[in-house]
Structures are given as C-alpha cells and as structure tokens.
C-alpha cells in the first residue's frame, strides 16, 4: 500500500483517473431463513460476505481487473437485520494508492413488503489490492472525488490509512524488540 501515484515520483506511466461514480455500485439481497443465526436474526457473516462482494465488484471495476481483499476495517453492525429484510449494500472507492484502494460500504435494510425508507444497519471500510494474472500487484487509476462528500471520504480514508500503517509499524517494532530481549522465539 503506497501513496497516490504521480508521474513525478514514479516510473510508471500516468494513468487517467476515474470519478467515484464510475465504479459505485449497489448490491441488493433479500434475507431468508438460510441467513439466520441462533438468535433468529441475520448472521453477521452473511452481511460481511455481501459487504466483501459489493466492495470487490467496486474495486474490480475501478482498477479494471482483479482485486483482492487486503483488510476489512471498522465493520460496524448498527441494527439487527431480520428475515424478510431487503438489504442494500452500497459501495464506492474512497481513496487510491499506487496498487491499493479503500472501498467504503454502507449497509441499508428495509422490509420487503413495506414502503418505509431503508435504515442504515451497518458500515465498513475495506482495502483491496489490484493484482495481475500472476497475483502480483498492479497499478490502479487515481480516484477523482466528484462531490464535497466524496472529498470528505477521500480525506477520511487518508487518515485511516495513516492509522493502519502506524499500527502495523508499532506491532512490528514491538515484536522485533521482544525478540531482541529474548522473548517470543
């Protein structure tokens, strides 16, 4: 996961950017008894799979090819989802690096037989890495925020990226220090 590609600091060709709307998508699915947990509500893993599916479609669209899930951050379940709910998973690319993308996802639910507006029941942020046919990282086009909301999401994604990298670095340094001190062989 590297910083945004610019021709000045990269030996890769300049790739034209894509607007957020170019890959934005909504995946809808009606929840059935097959999706329930022991409490009779929809299993969180079912929702997480839908989130990953929608985010993967967006990442593939934006990058123009295969992309794999590198991490899922901040999966929040805000309300339970019930059998008979029509779930809408809305996803878009928030930020791009050289070979990675952050995809933001909102999960909404509404009763299949009612006309009330959907309620937000979850959200997540996922990082995808674009890969070639050999599974090696490949360069992705920059994302071009189109609205003030897109710009805010882009800026927030940069903060999350900084935190992910700092957390990874702190854990690596702790492990190295513990090994040097004779712990954790």
């Amino acid at each position: 996961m590297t910083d945004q590609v610019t021709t000045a600091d990269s030996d890769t060709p300049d790739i034209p950017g894509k607007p957020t709307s170019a890959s934005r998508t909504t995946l809808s699915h009606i929840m059935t008894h097959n999706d329930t947990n022991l409490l009779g509500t929809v299993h969180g893993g079912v929702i997480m799979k839908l989130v990953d599916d929608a985010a993967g479609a967006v990442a593939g669209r934006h990058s123009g090819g295969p992309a794999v899930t590198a991490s899922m951050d901040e999966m929040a379940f805000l309300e339970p989802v019930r059998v008979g709910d029509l779930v809408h998973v809305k996803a878009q690319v928030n930020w791009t690096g050289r070979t990675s993308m952050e995809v933001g996802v909102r999960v909404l639910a509404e009763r299949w037989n009612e006309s009330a507006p959907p309620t937000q029941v979850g959200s997540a942020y996922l990082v995808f890495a674009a890969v070639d046919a050999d599974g090696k990282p490949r360069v992705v086009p920059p994302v071009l925020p189109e609205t003030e909301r897109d710009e805010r999401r882009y800026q927030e994604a940069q903060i999350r990226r900084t935190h992910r990298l700092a957390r990874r670095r702190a854990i690596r340094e702790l492990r190295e220090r513990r090994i040097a001190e004779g712990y954790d062989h």
Side-chain angles (χ1 to χ4, degrees), residues 66-71 127-131:
V68 295
T69 311
S71 70
V127 177
F128 279 79
V131 295

Side-chain angles (χ1 to χ4, degrees), residues 20 23-25 50-63 67-75 89-97 100-106 123-130 140 143 153-154 157-158 160 164:
T20 51
S23 58
R24 189 178 293 141
T25 193
L50 294 173
V51 164
D52 191 45
D53 287 347
V58 166
R61 280 181 172 184
H62 182 83
S63 68
V68 295
T69 311
S71 70
M72 178 184 271
D73 290 353
E74 301 178 35
M75 180 72 214
V89 183
K90 297 179 174 286
Q92 77 170 48
V93 173
N94 290 336
W95 176 89
T96 52
S100 63
M101 301 155 275
E102 184 197 88
V103 178
V105 181
R106 287 185 324 131
S123 65
Y125 299 101
L126 297 88
V127 177
F128 279 79
V140 299
V143 67
R153 288 177 176 161
Y154 184 90
Q158 289 177 305
R160 282 187 292 275
R164 276 191 296 271

Side-chain angles (χ1 to χ4, degrees), residues 16 47-48 60 73 78-79 81 111 113 121 125 147 177 184:
I47 301 299
M48 289 173 74
D73 290 353
L78 307 172
E79 299 282 338
V81 177
R111 295 305 293 166
N113 59 348
V121 296
Y125 299 101
T147 66
R177 189 170 57 250
D184 296 340

Side-chain angles (χ1 to χ4, degrees), residues 8-176:
D9 61 9
S10 174
D11 58 353
T12 59
D14 192 21
I15 297 175
K18 288 186 178 180
T20 51
S21 62
S23 58
R24 189 178 293 141
T25 193
T26 300
L27 172 69
S28 296
H29 187 79
I30 192 158
M31 298 290 109
T32 68
H33 288 286
N34 292 335
D35 301 317
T36 60
N37 58 27
L38 296 175
L39 298 176
T41 56
V42 172
H43 194 290
V46 171
I47 301 299
M48 289 173 74
K49 182 180 183 326
L50 294 173
V51 164
D52 191 45
D53 287 347
V58 166
R61 280 181 172 184
H62 182 83
S63 68
V68 295
T69 311
S71 70
M72 178 184 271
D73 290 353
E74 301 178 35
M75 180 72 214
F77 297 100
L78 307 172
E79 299 282 338
V81 177
R82 303 170 294 163
V83 170
D85 281 354
L86 181 58
V87 171
H88 308 286
V89 183
K90 297 179 174 286
Q92 77 170 48
V93 173
N94 290 336
W95 176 89
T96 52
R98 184 174 183 279
T99 62
S100 63
M101 301 155 275
E102 184 197 88
V103 178
V105 181
R106 287 185 324 131
V107 183
L108 307 165
E110 61 181 312
R111 295 305 293 166
W112 68 274
N113 59 348
E114 296 176 8
S115 60
T119 301
Q120 184 170 351
V121 296
S123 65
Y125 299 101
L126 297 88
V127 177
F128 279 79
V131 295
D132 63 17
D134 297 322
K136 303 290 186 212
R138 62 183 175 78
V139 176
V140 299
V143 67
L144 305 174
E146 297 174 278
T147 66
E148 286 297 320
R149 179 180 280 181
D150 292 342
E151 186 60 39
R152 176 187 52 79
R153 288 177 176 161
Y154 184 90
Q155 292 169 350
E156 291 172 356
Q158 289 177 305
I159 293 168
R160 282 187 292 275
R161 178 178 183 276
T162 299
H163 286 241
R164 276 191 296 271
L165 294 175
R167 183 177 59 237
R168 186 180 307 145
R169 186 172 41 257
I171 290 169
R172 185 183 65 242
E173 289 170 0
L174 173 65
R175 288 178 179 171
E176 290 169 355

